[in-house]
Amino acid sequence: MRTILLLIIAVLIGGLAVLNWETLSTPSEVNLGLSVIHAPLGVLMLGLTVLLCVLFVAYVLSMQGSVLLEARRHNKEMAAQRELADRAEASRFTELRQVLERQHADGQTAVMVRLAELESHLIARAQESDNSNAAYMGQLEDRMRHADTGPRSVL
């Protein structure tokens, strides 16, 4: 929108200059402060306007160039920061994996120790049960032997 407005103003100034060229190019006395010269005042003013436009365009282009360079530098810094963040995140994932593996190994060791304890308790209980059963069987055998050797009643 601004560009279109500026183009319309430039076309109007150019059209006005073309339509009034004879008036613009009429020589007159121009006071420069220190001296007075004979020159067409309109052409002089038109030349200063063109010079001002050229300087303005150069200023805008230099500003746009500096903004582009700053944006490029900013993008490079952002990419470097993103890379650092990705490395830090990867490092955290690696540390987390090591911690989880260590915890898993510790848990597995604890389970194996507990399983070995339970197995030894189970073996001990099985031996106690076998001993108890053997003792009961021995007592039953003793009773049966005493019952066989003792008096028998006839019915």
Side-chain angles (χ1 to χ4, degrees):
M1 189 68 171
R2 286 182 249 163
T3 307
I4 292 172
L5 183 62
L6 288 174
L7 285 175
I8 290 172
I9 291 172
V11 167
L12 287 175
I13 290 173
L16 190 62
V18 168
L19 293 174
N20 296 303
W21 184 252
E22 286 184 28
T23 306
L24 289 175
S25 62
T26 304
S28 62
E29 289 186 5
V30 179
N31 187 354
L32 298 177
L34 298 176
S35 65
V36 176
I37 61 168
H38 278 343
L41 180 62
V43 174
L44 187 63
M45 294 300 286
L46 188 62
L48 289 174
T49 304
V50 169
L51 179 65
L52 182 65
C53 287
V54 168
L55 290 175
F56 178 72
V57 168
Y59 175 72
V60 167
L61 289 177
S62 70
M63 288 294 288
Q64 190 172 13
S66 67
V67 166
L68 286 175
L69 288 175
E70 182 69 23
R72 186 175 184 170
R73 185 187 61 78
H74 181 69
N75 283 339
K76 283 182 181 180
E77 287 179 8
M78 290 299 291
Q81 292 297 324
R82 191 175 305 120
E83 186 178 334
L84 285 174
D86 289 344
R87 286 183 192 164
E89 187 175 350
S91 174
R92 283 189 297 247
F93 280 135
T94 302
E95 288 177 20
L96 178 62
R97 181 176 183 217
Q98 290 172 351
V99 167
L100 289 175
E101 286 176 352
R102 197 170 31 245
Q103 285 180 349
H104 177 69
D106 293 345
Q108 189 174 10
T109 303
V111 166
M112 293 305 287
V113 166
R114 181 73 176 140
L115 195 62
E117 288 176 5
L118 290 174
E119 185 179 14
S120 66
H121 286 284
L122 183 63
I123 290 171
R125 292 291 302 256
Q127 286 177 352
E128 287 176 14
S129 179
D130 286 348
N131 291 341
S132 296
N133 284 338
Y136 289 138
M137 293 296 282
Q139 286 178 356
L140 285 175
E141 285 177 2
D142 284 345
R143 285 184 190 170
M144 286 177 62
R145 273 190 221 136
H146 287 304
D148 285 342
T149 58
R152 287 192 182 167
S153 60
V154 179
L155 289 172

